[in-house]
């Protein structure tokens, strides 16, 4: 008998070929459907009928940085504009770990139980290294995401001020056109730069936790001045007494700030999003605020000022985008970067050269 060659211990034995797990005909039809791009008019009509899928596709369109999508995105926004401005907009912020997602889910479920239609625009922080974002808010809000009267849209913050996605302002209008009457914006929670979200909401809610050692630190931050109410979350179990003490301290702190133009005196309350206690009190405070500001016409005046502010912000954004995407500027920018790094040009001179070149072309 001839000696058979020895097989390596790492060699594989031929197994049974597995059947295809994907139906190719179904896959092709899905791909064909995805490739089909609805017109702006079709998207607007579907949004006005309350179609969440059309709403998601429209939001993706306006968030796109592709210049080819800009015209269709503007058509969608313009078509939805007459049907917008019929909601209340609530901004919710707080440091990471304060329980924003848990609170928003409990708060959102409470609002839908009252017959409200709630849209949550959750902004996740983007990595400064990979520029990626987890976008896990739908996973964290597993009960609210299944609610027929709720819609959750996570977006990456990118490099936007205050962790507000670049197109959040337009997204609000689309959600309003889709008949959502309560818009909640959850921000990253990074301190003073939260002015971005403050400039697009009617009511600004600051979440805190007791015993974190930031009571005095919170007083120093400008974010306290913007808050219309402070809610101390996680007031359950052994922390109830600490939450009550923190409530007293924050109430004292709020008296140090100047009176608001709205005539509203900010309030402090406690709740437990986990145990779903105190949520109704939060809504009572918000409803009281809206009653006051609509009565003294501050609500309407603030909306007008915000519209003007976002017009100017859009101009700034478009100028910046066009500058950096101009072919001649792209090549000149690289040259000037190297010159600045090698101390051949000052940063200010280099910037002046680039700007003069841009305005000449």
């Amino acid at each position: 008998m001839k000696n058979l060659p020895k097989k390596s211990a790492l060699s594989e034995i031929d197994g049974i070929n597995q059947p295809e797990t994907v139906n190719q005909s179904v896959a092709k039809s899905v791909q064909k459907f995805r490739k089909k791009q609805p017109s702006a008019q079709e998207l607007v009509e579907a949004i006005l009928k309350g179609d969440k899928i059309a709403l998601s596709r429209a939001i993706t369109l306006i968030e796109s940085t592709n210049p080819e999508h800009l015209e269709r995105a503007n058509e969608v926004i313009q078509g939805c504009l007459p049907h917008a401005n019929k909601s209340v907009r609530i901004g919710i912020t707080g440091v990471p770990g304060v329980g924003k997602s848990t609170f928003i889910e409990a708060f959102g479920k409470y609002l839908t139980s009252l017959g409200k239609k709630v849209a949550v625009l959750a902004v996740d922080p983007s990595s400064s290294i990979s520029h990626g974002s987890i976008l896990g808010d739908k996973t964290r809000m597993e009960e609210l995401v299944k609610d027929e009267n709720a819609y959750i849209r996570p977006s990456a913050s990118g490099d936007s001020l205050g962790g507000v996605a670049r197109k959040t302002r337009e997204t609000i209008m689309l959600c309003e056109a889709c008949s959502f009457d309560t818009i909640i914006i959850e921000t990253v929670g990074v301190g003073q730069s939260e002015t971005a979200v403050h400039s697009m909401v009617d009511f600004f809610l600051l979440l805190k936790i007791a015993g974190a050692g930031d009571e005095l630190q919170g007083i120093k931050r400008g974010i306290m001045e913007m808050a219309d109410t402070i809610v101390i979350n996680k007031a359950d179990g052994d922390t109830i007494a600490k939450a009550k003490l923190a409530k007293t301290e924050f109430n004292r702190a709020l008296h140090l700030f100047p009176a608001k133009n709205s005539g509203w005196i900010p309030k402090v309350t406690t709740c437990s999003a986990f145990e779903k206690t105190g949520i109704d009190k939060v809504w009572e405070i918000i409803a009281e605020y809206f009653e006051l500001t609509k009565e003294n016409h501050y609500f309407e005046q603030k909306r007008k000022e915000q519209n003007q502010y976002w017009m100017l912000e859009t101009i700034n954004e478009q100028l910046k985008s066009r500058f950096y995407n101009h072919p001649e500027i792209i090549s000149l920018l690289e040259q000037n970067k190297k010159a600045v790094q090698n101390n051949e040009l000052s940063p200010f001179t280099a910037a002046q050269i680039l700007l003069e070149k841009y305005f000449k072309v």
Side-chain angles (χ1 to χ4, degrees):
M1 179 181 279
K2 292 181 179 180
N3 291 330
L4 296 172
K6 291 183 179 180
K7 288 187 176 181
S8 167
L10 299 177
S11 63
E12 294 183 4
I13 300 173
D14 292 338
I16 300 171
N17 291 329
Q18 294 295 319
E20 289 190 20
T21 55
V22 178
N23 186 314
Q24 292 301 321
S25 62
V26 172
K28 286 179 181 178
S29 64
V30 170
Q31 288 172 354
K32 186 178 179 181
F33 172 77
R34 286 178 176 173
K35 286 179 181 177
K36 182 186 175 184
Q37 294 294 330
S39 67
Q41 186 59 36
E42 288 172 333
L43 282 174
V44 171
E45 289 174 0
I47 288 170
L48 296 180
K49 291 176 183 176
D51 188 333
K52 292 182 184 178
I53 295 175
L55 175 60
S56 294
R57 295 189 76 167
I59 293 172
T60 300
L61 183 67
I62 67 171
E63 286 181 343
S64 172
T65 54
N66 188 337
E68 295 177 5
H69 296 163
L70 183 60
E71 185 178 345
R72 194 151 59 99
N74 286 337
E75 286 180 31
V76 172
I77 294 167
Q78 204 59 36
C80 291
L81 187 59
H83 308 277
N85 296 304
K86 297 175 183 176
S87 74
V88 293
R89 305 165 185 171
I90 302 167
I92 296 179
T93 191
V95 295
V98 78
K100 290 191 293 291
S101 295
T102 307
F103 173 80
I104 289 171
E105 179 170 51
F107 186 54
K109 288 294 290 181
Y110 176 75
L111 293 179
T112 57
S113 72
L114 298 178
K116 305 280 185 188
K117 290 195 70 178
V118 180
V120 178
L121 308 180
V123 183
D124 264 11
S126 294
S127 167
S128 59
I129 299 171
S130 67
H131 304 291
S133 189
I134 296 173
L135 303 179
D137 295 274
K138 283 191 173 184
T139 305
R140 293 196 292 266
M141 303 179 196
E142 55 183 15
E143 289 298 320
L144 189 61
V145 77
K146 293 182 285 189
D147 197 311
E148 282 296 317
N149 290 319
Y151 173 77
I152 301 174
R153 173 72 184 202
S155 299
S157 65
D159 57 359
S160 301
L161 177 65
V164 181
R166 186 173 57 89
K167 296 293 184 180
T168 301
R169 184 68 175 79
E170 287 89 344
T171 301
I172 291 172
M173 290 190 287
L174 297 190
C175 290
E176 290 174 337
C178 199
S179 73
F180 288 99
D181 53 35
T182 308
I183 314 293
I184 297 173
I185 304 174
E186 177 197 358
T187 72
V188 175
V190 289
Q192 291 181 342
S193 55
E194 296 297 274
T195 48
V197 69
H198 184 258
S199 65
M200 65 174 73
V201 297
D202 307 308
F203 187 92
F204 196 63
L205 186 153
L206 174 61
L207 274 181
K208 289 278 188 180
I209 48 175
D214 69 340
E215 284 82 357
L216 288 175
Q217 184 67 18
I219 294 170
K220 291 191 290 183
R221 289 205 295 262
I223 195 169
M224 285 276 287
E225 294 185 29
M226 296 186 290
D228 294 305
T229 193
I230 296 174
V231 177
I232 301 164
N233 192 22
K234 302 185 180 182
D236 46 45
D238 298 334
T239 63
I240 292 177
K242 290 181 181 178
K244 288 181 178 177
L245 179 61
K247 178 182 176 181
T248 303
E249 290 176 348
F250 280 119
N251 262 321
R252 288 172 182 163
L254 288 172
H255 289 296
L256 300 174
F257 298 112
K260 290 180 174 288
N261 295 332
S262 60
W264 171 256
I265 300 173
K267 299 186 177 183
V268 185
T269 188
T270 61
C271 79
S272 169
F274 180 73
E275 295 184 351
K276 297 178 175 60
T277 55
I279 302 296
D280 54 342
K281 178 62 178 175
V282 175
W283 178 244
E284 281 179 24
I285 292 172
I286 295 173
E288 188 181 337
Y289 171 86
F290 286 131
E291 184 180 353
L292 171 71
T293 53
K294 286 183 178 181
E295 194 174 289
N296 63 17
H297 305 294
Y298 177 79
F299 182 93
E300 184 181 351
Q301 182 59 33
K302 186 178 181 182
R303 283 279 181 98
K304 289 178 179 178
E305 290 172 0
Q306 287 179 346
N307 288 341
Q308 179 179 293
Y309 172 82
W310 283 101
M311 178 193 73
L312 298 176
E313 282 297 301
T314 304
I315 292 171
N316 292 337
E317 180 189 312
Q318 289 294 324
L319 286 172
K320 182 179 175 182
S321 176
R322 291 188 180 188
F323 175 82
Y324 283 110
N325 289 306
H326 195 284
E328 292 188 34
I329 295 300
I330 291 172
S331 59
L332 187 60
L333 180 61
E334 289 305 312
Q335 295 173 25
N336 282 21
K337 277 183 180 179
K338 290 177 182 177
V340 169
Q341 288 173 347
N342 296 329
N343 290 320
E344 296 169 5
L345 276 178
S346 76
F348 311 103
T349 304
Q352 192 63 36
I353 291 170
L354 286 162
L355 289 169
E356 286 177 359
K357 178 67 176 177
Y358 176 74
F359 287 117
K360 283 179 181 177
V361 295

